[in-house]
């Protein structure tokens, strides 16, 4: 997606530890016009798939998911990272390994909001090692729903998440793939 | 807002401890059409105020804020609850007291994304004791920006947050006000 690639090259910053900082438009301050273009692009890439629900995980996936959902005319469900009094007792759980924190944490969706008739599109901001998407897939599988695919805004092509997910049969569509952040230079795949 | 009131009466559930559960359309599963009507209503209530930015706090405020932002043509900034490698060192902080957890926590916004020229509209899903909004106001004040008001989807009128905020001079617009949840019955103000 050309507009997104240009935005990343123009406004993205590289931090140490292979971190690409795009918090001026994607995950702290949010550029709503860009998000609408991203939503349209996801719609184009997953059209004719009869998506019935978009699934993401709090917090930074939510903005992208709800704007995109407008083009699919479907509800969004976001998995919760914390236990809450508000959450139903009956939940589907996924396990996510955090490399940063070197531990597993749980994500949860109430059983009421996904069922076996659903065709689920997962949407998230980043794909690096793929653990969050695998946790969401666990939830989709537990519900007996069909996973249509995963729409990712930025994939770190130099980490193994993309191949991990594609090899496990998930239809991954990434709108921008970063090939390298070495020497503080952003290299976006053409 | 009539549509919202009807939705709350029809689909809301009362849990013990004065909790109104609306996770089937607002803060777990998200009804995008309803959110668009909510966004239009906020626009109507804060028109001619020259809002330059919408501010919210993760996670459940994000969906409402980004959909509403489409009607204001402004960016959204969401305050973060956790420290993150991705967040700038230079931040404005607000302190939020959690009655549930009986302790204070910090919320943070990078100094880059609010400045003294900004006219800020705060948006959030719930107003109960008002602590989250006060924490966000602290951030707006620290930036020297102007606080236009607070747009709330559901105010618990039987808790003190609404009066606390209004007495401190904030223009609070709540789209639905709950007068009571006693005996598991939802009473919405007319």
């Amino acid at each position: 997606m050309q507009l997104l690639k240009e935005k990343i090259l123009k406004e993205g910053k590289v931090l140490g530890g292979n971190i690409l900082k795009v918090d001026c438009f994607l995950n702290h301050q949010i550029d709503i016009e860009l998000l609408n273009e991203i939503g349209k692009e996801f719609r184009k890439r997953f059209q004719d798939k009869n998506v019935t629900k978009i699934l993401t995980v709090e917090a930074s996936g939510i903005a992208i998911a709800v704007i995109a959902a407008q083009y699919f005319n479907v509800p969004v469900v976001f998995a919760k990272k914390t236990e809450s009094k508000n959450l139903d007792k009956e939940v589907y759980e996924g396990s996510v390994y955090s490399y940063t924190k070197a531990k597993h944490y749980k994500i949860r969706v109430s059983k009421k909001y996904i069922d076996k008739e659903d065709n689920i599109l997962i949407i998230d901001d980043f794909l690096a090692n793929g653990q969050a998407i695998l946790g969401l897939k666990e939830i989709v599988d537990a519900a007996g729903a069909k996973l249509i695919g995963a729409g990712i805004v930025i994939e770190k092509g130099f980490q193994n998440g993309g191949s991990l997910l594609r090899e496990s049969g998930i239809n991954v569509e990434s709108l921008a793939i970063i090939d390298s952040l070495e020497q503080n230079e952003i290299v976006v795949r053409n």
Side-chain angles (χ1 to χ4, degrees), chain A:
Chain A
M1 186 184 167
Q2 197 52 32
L3 180 69
L4 174 65
K5 290 177 187 173
E6 286 165 13
K7 191 92 172 172
I8 294 168
L9 289 172
K10 195 172 159 214
E11 299 182 22
K13 297 262 180 299
V14 185
L15 303 188
N18 275 332
I19 293 173
L20 174 63
K21 199 164 182 290
V22 287
D23 69 350
C24 59
F25 62 87
L26 194 63
N27 46 24
H28 185 22
Q29 177 168 256
I30 298 167
D31 179 331
I32 306 294
E33 272 181 61
L34 177 70
L35 244 57
N36 269 290
E37 294 308 314
I38 286 171
K40 286 178 208 168
E41 182 69 24
F42 281 138
R43 174 65 189 171
K44 206 193 297 176
R45 297 197 186 197
F46 293 101
Q47 65 192 353
D48 311 322
K49 298 286 186 188
N50 191 26
V51 170
T52 62
K53 209 160 266 187
I54 290 177
L55 178 66
T56 188
V57 59
E58 60 181 359
S60 51
I62 297 174
I64 304 154
V66 297
I67 297 288
Q70 298 177 124
Y71 299 98
F72 289 87
N73 293 311
V74 298
V76 167
V77 174
F78 66 90
K80 306 226 173 189
K81 286 179 178 171
T82 50
E83 292 193 77
S84 150
K85 288 195 293 186
N86 267 320
L87 193 59
D88 290 318
K89 300 256 178 297
E90 293 291 306
V91 295
Y92 297 117
E93 281 190 341
S95 182
V96 178
Y97 183 73
S98 162
Y99 281 92
T100 325
K101 294 171 187 164
K103 63 175 182 185
H104 285 87
Y105 62 93
K106 295 281 185 193
I107 57 176
R108 298 173 180 87
V109 170
S110 164
K111 289 190 177 178
K112 275 190 257 169
Y113 305 133
I114 302 189
D115 67 39
K116 58 183 171 38
E117 309 300 324
D118 275 319
N119 296 322
I120 304 285
L121 172 61
I122 292 173
I123 280 186
D124 210 357
D125 56 346
F126 270 95
L127 168 57
N129 50 54
Q131 298 299 304
I133 306 294
L134 288 176
L136 289 168
K137 180 179 188 299
E138 235 182 285
I139 288 172
V140 174
D141 291 346
K146 185 174 174 191
L147 182 58
I148 294 297
I152 304 294
V153 181
I154 302 175
E155 175 179 344
K156 288 177 169 173
F158 54 89
Q159 290 189 244
N160 72 339
S163 25
L164 198 66
L165 299 186
R166 291 181 181 100
E167 280 161 20
S168 76
I170 301 175
N171 176 14
V172 180
E173 287 283 346
S174 300
L175 305 191
I177 300 179
I178 309 298
D179 274 331
S180 162
L181 295 172
E182 279 174 30
Q183 291 162 332
N184 288 334
E185 195 199 345
I186 304 169
V187 182
V188 182
R189 192 175 300 176
N190 268 321

